[in-house]
Amino acid sequence: MSPAQQPANQPANQPANQQPQARARWRRHTPRRELIGWLAWLLLVLLFVVCWELMTRDQIWAFVWDAPRQAGDLFSRMVPPRWSYLDQLWRPLWDTLNIATLGTLTALVIALPVAFLAARNTTPSVAFLRPLALVVIVASRSVNALIWALLLVTILGPGLLAGVIAIALRSIGFIGKLLYEAIEEIDPQQVEAVRATGAGPVQVLDYAIMPQVLPAFAGIAVFRWDINIREATVLGLVGAGGIGLQLKASVDTLAWPQVTLIFIVILATVLVSEWISAEARKRLI
């Protein structure tokens, strides 16, 4: 067959008796993987249905259907806010800020050595001290600040001290975990360079490790202080001082206009602390 007699879609160097190979169909996943994915989604839906049935087994649905009317009635009693009550909130608000600040500072002092003990590249003992430091971090992060405050109010009595210690105990694990991860991610070449000059352990820590960790440490401290302001606002519900005491008293006496005002004050405080923490992180990091 001459080149002129070959089909238009057949290359010139391809024999006449050889058919073009069929193109393989592209698939994102293999059929087996697609089947496993669908089964996983099916199991997830079944798990959700089972959990929903268990959670709503004793639910009284009449209250749920009546909830919009009840919410509307409660909202009508919450407005307008009782602005005259604002003078009684400045001191509790100041106590809340002090609880968050002092608790954060206490946690920073404790979490810093705990983080160095938990990091693999700075701990003196991987077999003993590192697991002990990790237990401290996990134990702190496992218990909510409100539960810590409830226990401490029972032990120490109601007051600001219980709130400060509760915030500190909760923050140790948060700060320690993020900080020891930052320590493990430092550049080891800088450490080796300082150590090669004959520097001792304290000098290596001062000139090679801390300069790399300080920006992360500052950012973590400011971020945790911002979180602690939110948590300190509710510690008063269990007697740990702060503006939460006024919130609980207002709810117990059904003084809903005062509750609205307290919500506004808390929201404004959180917004200001968020702005301060964002500006501080921008300048420190």
Side-chain angles (χ1 to χ4, degrees):
M1 179 183 298
S2 63
Q5 295 176 339
Q6 289 184 352
N9 60 349
Q10 181 177 340
N13 58 353
Q14 180 178 343
N17 58 351
Q18 181 178 352
Q19 299 295 330
Q21 296 180 354
R23 294 182 179 180
R25 181 183 176 186
W26 180 86
R27 303 187 65 168
R28 183 177 182 182
H29 301 300
T30 62
R32 180 181 178 182
R33 187 171 180 180
E34 289 183 353
L35 178 61
I36 294 175
W38 282 109
L39 290 176
W41 278 108
L42 179 61
L43 291 176
L44 183 62
V45 171
L46 292 176
L47 180 62
F48 176 81
V49 171
V50 172
C51 293
W52 178 263
E53 290 293 331
L54 293 175
M55 292 171 57
T56 60
R57 178 177 300 173
D58 300 326
Q59 177 67 43
I60 302 176
W61 290 101
F63 292 120
V64 177
W65 310 136
D66 192 50
R69 187 181 66 83
Q70 295 294 338
D73 178 66
L74 181 61
F75 180 77
S76 66
R77 286 181 284 168
M78 293 179 69
V79 293
R82 186 171 298 166
W83 298 104
S84 60
Y85 188 65
L86 187 61
D87 292 338
Q88 303 182 40
L89 297 180
W90 296 121
R91 178 58 185 272
L93 180 61
W94 177 249
D95 291 339
T96 300
L97 295 176
N98 286 332
I99 290 173
T101 304
L102 294 176
T104 304
L105 291 176
T106 305
L108 289 173
V109 173
I110 300 174
L112 185 60
V114 171
F116 277 99
L117 293 176
R120 290 184 179 273
N121 52 345
T122 58
T123 181
S125 174
V126 178
F128 176 72
L129 292 180
R130 185 173 188 271
L132 185 62
L134 292 177
V135 168
V136 173
I137 292 174
V138 172
S140 172
R141 296 175 62 242
S142 300
V143 183
N144 190 271
L146 199 61
I147 300 176
W148 281 120
L150 184 62
L151 296 175
L152 290 168
V153 166
T154 305
I155 299 172
L156 302 175
L160 300 180
L161 180 61
V164 171
I165 298 177
I167 290 294
L169 291 177
R170 172 63 172 171
S171 302
I172 290 172
F174 180 91
I175 298 172
K177 177 177 174 57
L178 295 182
L179 188 56
Y180 96 75
E181 291 178 350
I183 294 172
E184 290 183 342
E185 293 174 357
I186 63 174
D187 185 6
Q189 294 182 355
Q190 297 186 29
V191 178
E192 293 298 329
V194 173
R195 190 172 293 157
T197 63
V202 177
Q203 294 172 318
V204 170
L205 178 66
D206 191 19
Y207 291 100
I209 299 177
M210 289 304 298
Q212 299 185 64
V213 175
L214 276 179
F217 179 72
I220 293 169
V222 175
F223 183 48
R224 187 62 212 186
W225 174 77
D226 182 31
I227 296 175
N228 285 340
I229 289 180
R230 294 173 174 84
E231 295 196 350
T233 57
V234 298
L235 294 185
L237 297 176
V238 295
I243 200 171
L245 285 174
Q246 273 61 34
L247 178 60
K248 185 176 186 301
S250 299
V251 172
D252 291 342
T253 57
L254 304 181
W256 300 114
Q258 295 178 187
V259 173
T260 305
L261 181 61
I262 294 173
F263 283 166
I264 293 174
V265 171
I266 292 175
L267 177 61
T269 304
V270 170
L271 289 177
V272 172
S273 68
E274 178 70 25
W275 177 79
I276 293 174
S277 63
E279 290 296 320
R281 287 197 300 268
K282 189 185 300 182
R283 285 166 171 75
L284 292 173
I285 301 178

